[in-house]
Amino acid sequence: LENYSDVQRFIEDATDGDFASRILHTGCGNSVMPEQMYDHGYQHIVNIDTSTVVIEQMAARNKDRPELKWLVMDATSMDL
């Protein structure tokens, strides 16, 4: 899976097409998927990864997408 279009149908089914849905993207890495989802209308996305470097890079790259959240966190011991 490389793009939002690869999973768009599944996301829309899971959210009933509700763009206000809150989405957790674990192990986000430097994926463009949250950016594509945001631009499509899903703007409440929390992205987590264990890499501080990746999270800092992604936060900087998406500074114009303020609702995207970027957190250094391990999915096996989340604080959410």
Side-chain angles (χ1 to χ4, degrees):
L1 302 174
E2 294 183 17
N3 294 296
Y4 170 57
S5 61
D6 296 333
V7 295
Q8 182 175 353
R9 182 173 54 98
F10 301 108
I11 299 293
E12 290 175 354
D13 286 348
T15 63
D16 291 325
D18 182 1
F19 291 131
S21 296
R22 297 180 336 172
I23 297 170
L24 175 63
H25 185 196
T26 61
C28 63
N30 62 358
S31 170
V32 296
M33 192 175 303
E35 295 159 320
Q36 293 170 339
M37 290 174 65
Y38 183 96
D39 294 344
H40 185 77
Y42 291 101
Q43 298 186 348
H44 303 287
I45 305 172
V46 175
N47 301 278
I48 67 171
D49 199 281
T50 58
S51 171
T52 302
V53 172
V54 167
I55 292 298
E56 289 173 355
Q57 289 173 345
M58 294 301 286
R61 188 167 96 187
N62 289 284
K63 65 182 181 301
D64 295 330
R65 293 179 176 100
E67 288 85 4
L68 288 180
K69 302 299 180 212
W70 303 96
L71 303 173
V72 176
M73 191 178 299
D74 185 336
T76 63
S77 58
M78 293 190 302
D79 296 330
L80 297 175

